[in-house]
Amino acid sequence: LKPFWLKNLGSKFDTCCATKAMACAAMDISFLSDPGIFAKGQHAEDDDARGDLQMARSIDIQSFPLAPVSSPYTFCEDVRKHGNAPGLMDFKHGTTTLGFVFKHGIIIAVDSRASMGSYIGSQTVKKVIEINSFLLGTMAGGAADCSFWERHLARLCRMHELRTKERISVAAASKLLANIFFQYKGQGLSCGTMVAGWDKKGPSLYMVDDSGERFKGERFSVGSGSPFAYGVLDSAYDRNMSVEDAVELGRRSIYHATHRDGASGGVVRVYHVHEKGWTKVIAGEDVNELH
């Protein structure tokens, strides 16, 4: 016979396991396979998509007020297709991010302002996604799109590492992101990202946009302030510069862009990617104090 305390412990353990199993079963991430079904509109020709939209309309939304229109789920897409409000989906984003390769690795520098047109939503956005200890990603475009998909990329990179027992290369990581963007091309994503890191081949820097295009290079700047950042970057770039000079060049490029581009601002953050990983050199320096 089991002691009373052992019987009680066993019942508690069974209950805990059952609760965890129910929690795991309730998690549904199937939308990752095709999130574009919610952007096709009520006139979509895909029967499966129409069925999913009908299922979405059946959800109880009493606690979440929507616009008083016939199909609030696809309102923006339907208006865009009918041409009644040109420019409705042309959201005006603003940012400045840059990256360049030099003798001692890669410098990544970004601002921190999130805006939509003339509205400034935040001055403290973290526009560098730390994918792993050797990989960094930057955000430009829609903050939600970039943040979600680059964090999804971090999960894919970790799964690759667990399966193969080695870190993913920078080229492979950027290709995964490009494939994701290409799969949803034309469905509303707004992303202009850079993927920087150090692997067996040394430092690598890629730029990936929301149409799935992917470029490898030594100097990139993405965002509304990029023309101003390029002006400073191109005038002083030297592949053989020291780490201190490279950090100062990235900092100065972002600073000048923030004071010429109204959609960029906040603080400057600078990262240095090297053979031992990456280092956050400037955690956040207010651009107003640099003026």
Side-chain angles (χ1 to χ4, degrees):
L1 296 176
K2 293 183 180 179
F4 172 77
W5 63 268
L6 185 58
K7 291 182 180 179
N8 195 27
L9 179 63
S11 62
K12 289 183 178 179
F13 178 76
D14 293 340
T15 303
C16 180
C17 291
T19 303
K20 289 184 177 180
M22 291 175 63
C24 293
M27 182 177 294
D28 181 13
I29 58 172
S30 60
F31 66 92
L32 286 174
S33 61
D34 187 14
I37 59 173
F38 297 104
K40 294 183 179 180
Q42 63 179 351
H43 305 295
E45 297 180 358
D46 189 346
D47 292 336
D48 294 335
R50 187 178 295 110
D52 290 328
L53 287 171
Q54 290 174 353
M55 181 177 65
R57 293 190 186 99
S58 65
I59 298 174
D60 182 17
I61 57 171
Q62 297 301 320
S63 60
F64 190 81
L66 299 177
V69 295
S70 60
S71 179
Y73 302 95
T74 61
F75 174 72
C76 290
E77 185 67 16
D78 294 335
V79 171
R80 185 184 67 82
K81 287 182 177 179
H82 286 121
N84 295 331
L88 176 68
M89 303 297 289
D90 298 333
F91 302 125
K92 295 178 175 60
H93 307 291
T95 189
T96 304
T97 64
L98 67 85
F100 60 88
V101 182
F102 71 115
K103 182 180 179 180
H104 301 287
I106 302 173
I107 291 295
I108 295 293
V110 300
D111 75 320
S112 65
R113 176 174 291 179
S115 61
M116 186 170 175
S118 60
Y119 175 74
I120 298 175
S122 174
Q123 290 277 69
T124 58
V125 175
K126 186 178 179 182
K127 296 184 181 180
V128 176
I129 305 296
E130 298 161 358
I131 298 173
N132 61 32
S133 57
F134 284 82
L135 272 176
L136 295 174
T138 64
M139 294 168 43
D145 291 343
C146 293
S147 179
F148 176 84
W149 287 114
E150 289 191 34
R151 282 175 168 79
H152 178 58
L153 174 64
R155 184 177 71 88
L156 296 178
C157 291
R158 179 57 178 159
M159 294 299 293
H160 177 277
E161 188 174 345
L162 291 173
R163 290 190 186 105
T164 64
K165 309 303 180 184
E166 64 179 11
R167 290 195 314 271
I168 192 170
S169 67
V170 185
S174 63
K175 188 63 176 177
L176 285 174
L177 189 61
N179 288 342
I180 291 171
F181 288 164
F182 183 79
Q183 184 179 2
Y184 303 122
K185 181 178 180 180
Q187 296 186 12
L189 285 183
S190 176
C191 299
T193 69
M194 289 181 287
V195 178
W198 193 293
D199 55 24
K200 295 178 180 178
K201 297 182 179 180
S204 295
L205 178 64
Y206 289 85
M207 197 278 285
V208 183
D209 66 16
D210 50 32
S211 63
E213 293 185 342
R214 168 177 166 268
F215 306 96
K216 183 178 182 179
E218 293 197 343
R219 280 175 288 175
F220 289 116
S221 183
V222 186
S224 58
S226 59
F228 310 108
Y230 268 129
V232 178
L233 182 59
D234 290 341
S235 65
Y237 173 77
D238 180 4
R239 189 176 176 85
N240 295 318
M241 67 176 63
S242 65
V243 175
E244 292 76 15
D245 291 341
V247 170
E248 176 59 24
L249 177 58
R251 170 177 170 268
R252 186 155 43 91
S253 299
I254 295 296
Y255 154 67
H256 282 288
T258 59
H259 279 274
R260 291 293 182 183
D261 174 41
S264 301
V267 301
V268 180
R269 294 189 174 97
V270 181
Y271 287 72
H272 175 214
V273 181
H274 45 82
E275 60 183 349
K276 295 183 180 179
W278 52 260
T279 303
K280 187 187 293 185
V281 184
I282 299 178
E285 190 171 2
D286 193 338
V287 296
N288 292 320
E289 297 178 0
L290 298 175
H291 188 55

